[in-house]
């Protein structure tokens, strides 16, 4: 027996509104009903049914992409929430079962692909970068490369970046020389060297 009420499209589910028709293209969904400011934990937002833009369509793209990913968006555009989602989805469950963790994603955009959730959810022991200094050095190298390739970038910016890197290297050398990681002592020694 056919119903006369309109049926939701295959793209709508879990009380969310889809903004795309292909998962391969950008598709996000607004979920939740409560509004809170300052919450940056994906799992907490889902558990508490807080209003958020579900960007889980990005997860399969990360798995399929071997290139580095740079998230550049203006302030308050959800970068921290997106990183929290990456850590929550890919990281090993802490304090909950893997099944409970996977269930959290059934009503998200990526939930339309249960095979992806089965294969990749909770798969990595630590998603965060273990070596922040290494990351900063690589980022500096990329920025310096950009400065060299685009000379029209303000020369003052170049000088400031080079000075900050020199200060950083001097501080690192001072740490080695002192043999301690006490920042106050190292800062005094660095300032004296300059």
């Amino acid at each position: 027996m056919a119903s006369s009420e309109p049926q939701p499209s295959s793209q709508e589910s879990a009380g969310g509104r889809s903004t795309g028709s292909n998962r391969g293209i950008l598709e996000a969904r607004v979920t939740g009903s409560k509004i809170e400011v300052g919450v940056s934990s994906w799992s907490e937002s889902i558990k508490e049914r807080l209003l958020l833009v579900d960007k889980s369509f990005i997860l399969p793209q990360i798995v399929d992409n071997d290139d580095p990913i740079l998230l550049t968006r203006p302030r308050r555009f959800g970068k921290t929430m997106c990183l929290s989602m990456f850590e929550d989805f890919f990281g090993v469950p802490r304090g909950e079962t893997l099944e409970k963790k996977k269930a959290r994603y059934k009503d998200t955009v990526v939930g339309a692909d249960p095979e992806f959730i089965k294969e990749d959810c909770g798969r990595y022991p630590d998603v965060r970068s273990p070596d922040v200094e290494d990351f900063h050095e690589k980022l500096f190298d990329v920025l310096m490369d950009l400065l060299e390739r685009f000379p029209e970038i303000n020369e003052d910016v170049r000088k400031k970046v080079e000075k900050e890197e020199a200060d950083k290297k001097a501080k690192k050398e001072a740490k080695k020389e002192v043999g301690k990681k006490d920042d106050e002592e190292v800062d005094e020694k660095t300032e004296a060297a300059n």
Side-chain angles (χ1 to χ4, degrees):
M1 184 181 284
S3 169
S4 61
E5 292 186 27
Q7 298 296 315
S9 72
S10 62
Q11 294 296 315
E12 297 175 352
S13 66
R17 294 184 306 274
S18 174
T19 60
S21 58
N22 288 329
R23 275 191 20 155
I25 311 281
L26 297 180
E27 178 181 325
R29 185 183 300 159
V30 178
T31 64
S33 57
K34 293 189 259 179
I35 298 176
E36 296 240 357
V37 177
V39 176
S40 59
S41 168
W42 170 265
S43 58
E44 181 183 333
S45 298
I46 295 294
K47 288 175 190 172
E48 299 294 323
R49 308 235 355 109
L50 301 179
L51 186 67
L52 65 86
V53 176
D54 173 6
K55 298 178 186 174
S56 62
F57 68 90
I58 297 172
L59 295 170
Q61 295 174 10
I62 289 173
V63 170
D64 296 338
N65 187 355
D66 292 334
D67 296 327
I69 298 170
L70 177 63
L71 296 174
T72 57
R73 291 287 178 264
R75 291 178 55 221
R76 312 295 301 160
F77 259 66
K79 295 180 296 290
T80 303
M81 181 68 78
C82 198
L83 291 174
S84 174
M85 176 187 61
F86 297 162
E87 185 177 352
D88 181 65
F89 183 83
F90 293 116
V92 171
R94 293 179 171 93
E96 67 181 345
T97 65
L98 183 57
E99 287 72 29
K100 187 173 182 180
K101 180 179 197 159
K102 289 179 179 181
R104 184 164 46 248
Y105 289 89
K106 72 178 169 86
D107 293 333
T108 63
V109 174
V110 79
D113 187 355
E115 210 41 48
F116 175 75
I117 293 175
K118 180 181 177 185
E119 290 177 16
D120 291 295
C121 187
R123 189 170 124 181
Y124 302 97
D126 194 2
V127 180
R128 295 165 287 168
S129 173
D131 189 356
V132 175
E133 283 187 23
D134 184 46
F135 169 77
H136 286 158
E137 287 176 20
K138 288 178 183 175
L139 180 61
F140 176 77
D141 291 342
V142 168
L143 291 175
M144 290 307 292
D145 182 52
L146 287 173
L147 286 172
E148 289 173 13
R149 287 170 45 198
F150 299 100
E152 64 272 8
I153 295 177
N154 190 334
E155 189 63 30
D156 292 337
V157 173
R158 179 191 299 269
K159 288 177 183 176
K160 183 178 179 183
V161 169
E162 288 173 349
K163 183 182 180 335
E164 287 176 2
E165 185 60 21
D167 290 346
K168 183 179 166 186
K169 285 182 180 180
K171 187 174 181 178
K172 195 174 187 179
E173 289 300 317
K175 278 185 180 182
K176 286 180 185 177
E177 186 179 311
V178 172
K180 297 180 182 178
K181 291 190 178 186
D182 182 15
D183 285 338
E184 293 175 356
E185 239 181 83
V186 172
D187 287 341
E188 289 173 11
K189 191 157 184 128
T190 304
E191 286 176 20
N194 289 332

